[in-house]
Amino acid sequence: MTWMILGLVLFLGVHSVRIVADDWRTQTRARIGEMPWKGLYSLVSIAGFVLMVWGFGQARLQPEVLWTPPVAMRHIAALLVLISFVLLAATYVPGNAIKARLHHPMILAVKVWALAHLLANGRLAGVVLFAAFLVWAILDFRSSRQRDRAAGTTYPAGNTVGTVLTIVVGVAAWAAFAFWGHQALIGMAPMARGG
């Protein structure tokens, strides 16, 4: 689990610079240039992501079970992940009322996704992984809203077409991932009976 934790530190650490040191980030970007900053940011993010995924995979080989969540938690988690997919779609589909209202739907998607997986997971590696993402998302959402208020940022109003399209895209992506993608990429079938 050491590699997973190192990956989390790198991945979430680089994604936390605006939370803990926004002024330093702005000054460093101005000093070294936007492209070198993005390149360094991307390299650290990718390295952290690879270590996190590999470390989590290694930890799953010898799981330490803290508790066994009741079956009902799987159903609650499935609903929450559906909501997170709709929030993720709201990040990209133009003209939707969800983004107009919530402003940072991608961060909220991570928050809801992490909570869902915490509820349905009783293994130590999973608890560490999803709790880290949940704490990061809570702090990042708060920081993003504070920056919006300080800058007087406004978001354009959404419309019905954009909102309906967001929901359709989110539900379709969730269904594809829940019934096929999760098994193919993660090796677990969350919608399998008794699985």
Side-chain angles (χ1 to χ4, degrees):
M1 199 163 62
T2 303
W3 292 111
M4 183 191 79
I5 292 170
L6 178 59
L8 278 168
V9 169
L10 289 174
F11 185 80
L12 294 179
V14 77
H15 284 84
S16 299
V17 173
R18 290 198 82 182
I19 300 171
V20 297
D22 195 30
D23 291 340
W24 174 85
R25 173 189 172 272
T26 303
Q27 292 166 4
T28 304
R29 240 172 94 161
R31 190 177 77 250
I32 68 172
E34 186 170 348
M35 293 310 289
W37 171 265
K38 286 183 177 180
L40 185 60
Y41 184 96
S42 298
L43 283 174
V44 174
S45 293
I46 291 167
F49 185 76
V50 168
L51 282 173
M52 181 176 57
V53 170
W54 183 77
F56 184 67
Q58 293 301 305
R60 282 175 55 191
L61 297 175
Q62 296 180 325
E64 294 181 48
V65 178
L66 301 176
W67 69 83
T68 302
V71 174
M73 287 301 176
R74 289 182 56 216
H75 302 296
I76 293 168
L79 176 61
L80 289 173
V81 173
L82 169 60
I83 292 167
S84 75
F85 267 87
V86 172
L87 289 168
L88 186 61
T91 305
Y92 298 104
V93 176
N96 71 81
I98 298 169
K99 184 170 185 175
R101 175 73 178 95
L102 301 176
H103 304 171
H104 300 280
M106 182 180 282
I107 303 169
L108 288 175
V110 173
K111 187 189 295 190
V112 174
W113 166 84
L115 176 62
H117 284 77
L118 268 177
L119 293 176
N121 195 311
R123 295 178 180 145
L124 179 61
V127 170
V128 170
L129 179 72
F130 301 120
F133 271 94
L134 179 59
V135 170
W136 171 82
I138 290 168
L139 296 174
D140 195 40
F141 186 74
R142 181 172 170 261
S143 174
S144 297
R145 295 298 294 256
Q146 287 174 341
R147 282 195 305 274
D148 283 353
R149 283 193 293 274
T153 304
T154 57
Y155 291 82
N159 58 63
T160 303
V161 172
T163 305
V164 170
L165 184 59
T166 296
I167 294 169
V168 169
V169 168
V171 170
W174 170 83
F177 195 73
F179 291 99
W180 177 80
H182 202 281
Q183 171 70 44
L185 295 172
I186 313 296
M188 296 175 68
M191 305 306 281
R193 292 184 183 206

